[in-house]
Amino acid sequence: MNPSTPAAKFHTQRPKNLIQLKWWHRLAYISRVLPRTLRQLLGELELPPQARLLDYGCADMPYRDALPDTVEYLGADIEGNPRASITLNADGTIPVADASMDAVISTQVLEHVADPALYVSECFRTMKPGGKLLLSTHGIMIYHRDPVDYWRWTAEGLERQLVLAGFKVERIIGVMGLAATGLQLFQDATFIRIPRPIRPLYLLILQGMIALADRLTAEHSRSLNSLVFVALASRPQDRAAATPDQSNAQ
């Protein structure tokens, strides 16, 4: 691995376990609720024995330990990630056969890819009919370079992207609702101006307020406006079964 590449720097410098971030970290709350949501939904992938699962844009594969050892867990990422077992092609496509995976997961990747339609179509192409996709991406989020940051989504926009690729969207979940997101954006806009000695206290207070605001948010409201959206979708046995008219986003 070349330690000067953006991918190598990212994988060596990022926190290794986001769920263990201190409560005075500026992303403390979302770093707890998003992994918890994803881990719960992994159980709905309905993986068969000896399943093959592709983690597309795998980073440090934080969800490997949530699946049985019998699952063949394949991590795909750009060149420079020593944890990946598959190196993506230059255009971001995956060098694996069509319909060779029982499931695909994609966590906080879609906002960073230059061509979302191509990325989602690769998820579809590599998945066996009847397989499932678990994908999370940005809703209302501050600019987040990693190493680039291109896109933001509404629930309807994300669903349409998936349906156009051929998926049947089973549900889209909002993670961290509008009031909490507003507080998060306020914090992100102001904390840099807070003197360093009291910055941890400032962040601790704001993250506590964010947690409280999110607990008071109704699920329906969160499904419309959220910091992050999580989609659970499946590849129909018959591709024609999924059309843009079958929108499920509320």
Side-chain angles (χ1 to χ4, degrees), residues 101-235:
M101 300 293 162
D102 295 287
V104 176
I105 65 173
S106 168
T107 59
Q108 303 306 105
V109 178
L110 189 62
E111 64 272 13
H112 301 295
V113 301
D115 188 342
L118 176 64
Y119 181 92
V120 175
S121 70
E122 279 292 279
C123 294
F124 188 93
R125 178 188 69 81
T126 59
M127 190 181 301
K128 297 176 183 178
K132 291 193 175 183
L133 169 69
L134 177 61
L135 180 148
S136 70
T137 190
H138 288 344
I140 307 168
M141 173 71 85
I142 193 172
Y143 178 67
H144 170 63
R145 180 182 295 166
D146 187 19
V148 293
D149 187 12
Y150 292 120
W151 314 106
R152 296 294 179 273
W153 305 91
T154 63
E156 288 183 348
L158 179 58
E159 180 172 19
R160 180 170 177 79
Q161 188 80 73
L162 294 171
V163 169
L164 289 174
F167 284 104
K168 177 182 178 182
V169 177
E170 297 184 4
R171 55 186 167 133
I172 292 181
I173 299 169
V175 182
M176 205 167 115
L178 187 58
T181 295
L183 288 168
Q184 179 73 45
L185 295 177
F186 175 81
Q187 172 210 273
D188 291 343
T190 58
F191 86 96
I192 197 66
R193 298 179 179 273
I194 302 300
R196 284 187 178 275
I198 62 172
R199 195 176 294 173
L201 177 60
Y202 181 76
L203 294 175
L204 180 64
I205 293 171
L206 264 295
Q207 288 297 308
M209 293 172 63
I210 287 166
L212 177 60
D214 198 44
R215 291 190 185 98
L216 297 175
T217 300
E219 285 298 324
H220 176 70
S221 174
R222 191 181 289 112
S223 71
L224 297 175
N225 295 285
S226 271
L227 189 78
V228 174
F229 287 109
V230 178
L232 184 67
S234 60
R235 174 172 176 168

